Amino acid sequence: MAVTLKDIARDLGVSTVTVSKVLRGQTDIGHKTRERVLKRMRELNYQPNMLARALAGGRSHAVGLVVPDLIHPFFGEFARSLAGALRSEGLVLVLASSEEDPDIEEQEIKTLLARGVDVLLVASCHPATHPPTALAETTTPVLLIDRHFPKLPVDFVGTNDLMVGELAARHLVGIGRRRIAHIGGRGISPTADRLKGFQRVLAAAGIELPKAYVVMRDGFEESGDATGYHAMQELLSLREPPDAVFCYNDLSAIGAMDAAMQAGLRIPQDIAFIGCGNLRYADYLRVPLTSVDQSSHRLGDMAAKRVLDLSTGSGAAPQTVRLEPRLIVRKSTIA
């Protein structure tokens, strides 16, 4: 038979209310009493009935997260950081993947909302102009991650993507490149902002960005390397190929570099590459990849702080938090 709060209270000679307060982390319990209760819980391997807690307190103590892909290291590292921060506060993270399919994303959002999560986090694969219908209709607090919808009045935590594009372009201009191309994504907000920042710096430097030098594609998460490879082949087929490429993320940069090397080009002597994400294996590639660091761990910590506010109803008006990226220079741009 499962151990109950009453069993623990009877063993220690305290009230059930006292045990319940310790479980909920309330501070009006003496230190010695708290330690006795926690010690007895560990001895009996007490597992709280989360459904009963939700019914009694109106909270599930669960947080939902929907991402485009669970394999991509950026979202994996973000989820790990977020889960660790929430765990220390007694909250559990429930993960779901949309597989970069808007219909699946809508379904996963509805499923998590039906399960009664206290807060829902979403890194959406929907176009920036068309947010998921379920997000616009729910009363559950929503926190958008990495991708935002300008017309949706909800919280957002992400990277300053305008600065991502600016950092990449400024570095490539600074090392003397003049035929600078971009492999980007379609529809989602980070791609538009990164391209805008990229174009701004090139224009200020008097460098033309021909239409053929901007290759926009879908599928940059799970299959990003293949997407980058084929996009790079298109750039290499031009009469005057680029001498530098800024790629939407590190996976697409890896695929693009592979296409360049197979074409007999030297990196960075003939062509330089910059990715985005600063994935942990970037240092160990055949040509270590220069990348814009999005600080996925910091994003997870910042998201967790906002989740705690939203889950307790103490979050004020929707907030937007954009972390500043930083450029990590490696041998794909400077030999």
Side-chain angles (χ1 to χ4, degrees):
M1 183 179 294
V3 176
T4 67
L5 293 183
K6 289 182 178 179
D7 296 329
I8 295 171
R10 184 184 62 249
D11 291 350
L12 299 177
V14 299
S15 69
T16 305
V17 172
T18 295
V19 178
S20 179
K21 285 185 175 183
V22 171
L23 181 62
R24 296 199 303 271
Q26 295 186 7
T27 58
D28 58 341
I29 302 296
H31 176 72
K32 290 185 178 180
T33 300
R34 180 185 304 279
E35 290 303 313
R36 287 179 63 216
V37 171
L38 293 174
K39 181 174 181 291
R40 189 58 180 155
M41 285 181 176
R42 289 192 294 270
E43 291 171 348
L44 297 176
N45 193 28
Y46 172 71
Q47 300 296 323
N49 186 323
M50 300 308 292
L51 178 59
R53 288 182 68 185
L55 292 173
R59 291 179 57 196
S60 65
H61 298 274
V63 174
L65 172 62
V66 182
V67 296
D69 176 63
L70 289 172
I71 298 174
H72 193 284
F74 172 79
F75 292 111
E77 291 177 6
F78 170 81
R80 179 182 179 183
S81 175
L82 175 66
L86 296 179
R87 189 182 306 117
S88 65
E89 298 294 335
L91 300 176
V92 63
L93 183 65
V94 183
L95 280 167
S97 170
S98 67
E99 300 174 23
E100 295 194 83
D101 184 321
D103 292 333
I104 294 177
E105 178 179 296
E106 196 85 45
Q107 178 183 336
E108 294 290 3
I109 288 172
K110 290 178 179 178
T111 298
L112 288 172
L113 290 174
R115 289 180 177 272
V117 294
D118 294 333
V119 181
L120 179 64
L121 292 82
V122 180
S124 181
C125 64
H126 276 67
T129 53
H130 294 87
T133 303
L135 293 186
E137 297 175 347
T138 185
T139 57
T140 298
V142 172
L143 175 58
L144 297 177
I145 302 299
D146 189 54
R147 292 102 184 266
H148 68 94
F149 299 101
K151 295 183 180 180
L152 196 63
V154 297
D155 286 82
F156 171 74
V157 172
T159 307
N160 184 331
D161 285 300
L162 276 171
M163 189 177 290
V164 169
E166 290 171 349
L167 286 173
R170 195 171 294 122
H171 178 63
L172 293 174
V173 170
I175 61 173
R177 305 302 165 122
R178 292 297 179 267
R179 302 191 312 278
I180 305 174
H182 176 53
I183 295 174
R186 275 195 286 250
I188 57 176
S189 62
T191 64
D193 288 344
R194 290 174 196 176
L195 178 56
K196 189 182 299 182
F198 186 69
Q199 290 172 319
R200 180 184 298 173
V201 171
L202 293 187
I207 296 176
E208 181 185 1
L209 181 62
K211 185 176 180 180
Y213 274 20
V214 179
V215 182
M216 308 301 279
R217 291 286 186 270
D218 298 312
F220 274 102
E221 307 308 341
E222 183 176 355
S223 58
D225 51 347
T227 302
Y229 180 88
H230 294 300
M232 190 65 218
Q233 285 186 317
E234 182 175 325
L235 288 171
L236 292 175
S237 69
L238 297 174
R239 186 177 65 177
E240 192 172 29
D243 61 7
V245 184
F246 165 46
C247 300
Y248 172 71
N249 61 15
D250 286 352
L251 278 181
S252 58
I254 289 169
M257 287 196 297
D258 187 32
M261 287 187 285
Q262 287 190 24
L265 297 176
R266 300 168 301 161
I267 302 172
Q269 292 88 345
D270 299 323
I271 185 167
F273 288 91
I274 293 183
C276 182
N278 193 36
L279 303 181
R280 63 180 62 188
Y281 50 71
D283 258 325
Y284 304 100
L285 299 172
R286 187 172 8 161
V287 179
L289 176 64
T290 293
S291 183
V292 182
D293 188 0
Q294 293 179 270
S295 300
S296 56
H297 293 289
R298 287 181 60 211
L299 285 174
D301 290 339
M302 293 297 297
K305 290 177 182 177
R306 189 56 183 159
V307 164
L308 295 176
D309 289 339
L310 294 171
S311 67
T312 58
S314 58
Q319 297 180 4
T320 293
V321 177
R322 295 182 187 274
L323 298 183
E324 289 192 2
R326 60 193 182 103
L327 182 69
I328 308 299
V329 178
R330 299 189 179 93
K331 292 184 178 180
S332 67
T333 58
I334 296 180

